Amino acid sequence: MTGPPHISEEMQRFVVLAIPSVPYLEAILLLRADPLLAWDAEQVARRLYLNEKAAQTLLDQLYAAGVATVGAGEERRFCYAPQTEHMRSMIDALADIYSRNLIGVSNLIHSTTNSKARQFADAFVFRKPPENP
């Protein structure tokens, strides 16, 4: 019996730098599952159990990151279309790892989120000024 697959250092860097949240990753995987399908915020919201505003924010982030394209027209619909082959291959590898090590990938995402939050909050902690000798 083996444990969950190891997450390589390269993949850890990719997750830390490119995946800000689990819903963001879930949105990528949703679009990736059917690259020819164009998704709007309402559809993504229903599938990921989010409100429509949160889903729209995720779709906008995917577009800004070069993971998705947006069609022309009044209804903004998004399709999976990574800008580079390297991005596509990293997402493919992440999808595979996530399917076999959901907890490990989720913990990695949460650890970076919590670390950033701690760093931000730490900036507002009042500290006693150093004593002058």
Side-chain angles (χ1 to χ4, degrees):
M1 181 173 202
T2 63
H6 172 73
I7 303 171
S8 71
E9 286 186 30
E10 180 184 21
M11 184 55 68
Q12 288 181 37
R13 269 192 305 281
F14 179 73
V15 169
V16 167
L17 296 174
I19 310 296
S21 68
V22 172
Y24 181 92
L25 175 56
E26 292 285 343
I28 290 173
L29 299 178
L30 180 64
L31 271 63
R32 178 183 171 272
D34 192 348
L36 300 178
L37 188 61
W39 295 84
D40 65 18
E42 181 183 352
Q43 293 167 313
V44 171
R46 262 195 322 255
R47 289 291 297 275
L48 297 182
Y49 304 102
L50 301 169
N51 66 50
E52 201 169 319
K53 183 178 177 182
Q56 186 63 58
T57 298
L58 288 172
L59 289 169
D60 291 338
Q61 289 173 337
L62 294 178
Y63 174 73
V67 176
T69 58
V70 63
E74 285 185 34
E75 279 191 52
R76 295 184 66 211
R77 294 184 169 272
F78 296 77
C79 292
Y80 180 72
Q83 281 183 342
T84 67
E85 281 308 309
H86 181 259
M87 181 185 291
R88 182 181 303 276
S89 69
M90 291 301 292
I91 292 170
D92 289 346
L94 178 56
D96 178 58
I97 292 168
Y98 188 63
S99 71
R100 296 181 295 125
N101 190 356
L102 184 138
I103 293 171
V105 173
S106 297
N107 285 341
L108 181 59
I109 293 168
H110 291 303
S111 73
T112 60
T113 303
N114 291 340
S115 173
K116 290 174 188 172
R118 276 195 302 272
Q119 288 173 351
F120 178 75
D122 192 47
F124 295 95
V125 173
F126 291 104
R127 292 186 172 78
K128 183 178 173 183
E131 295 181 22
N132 290 331

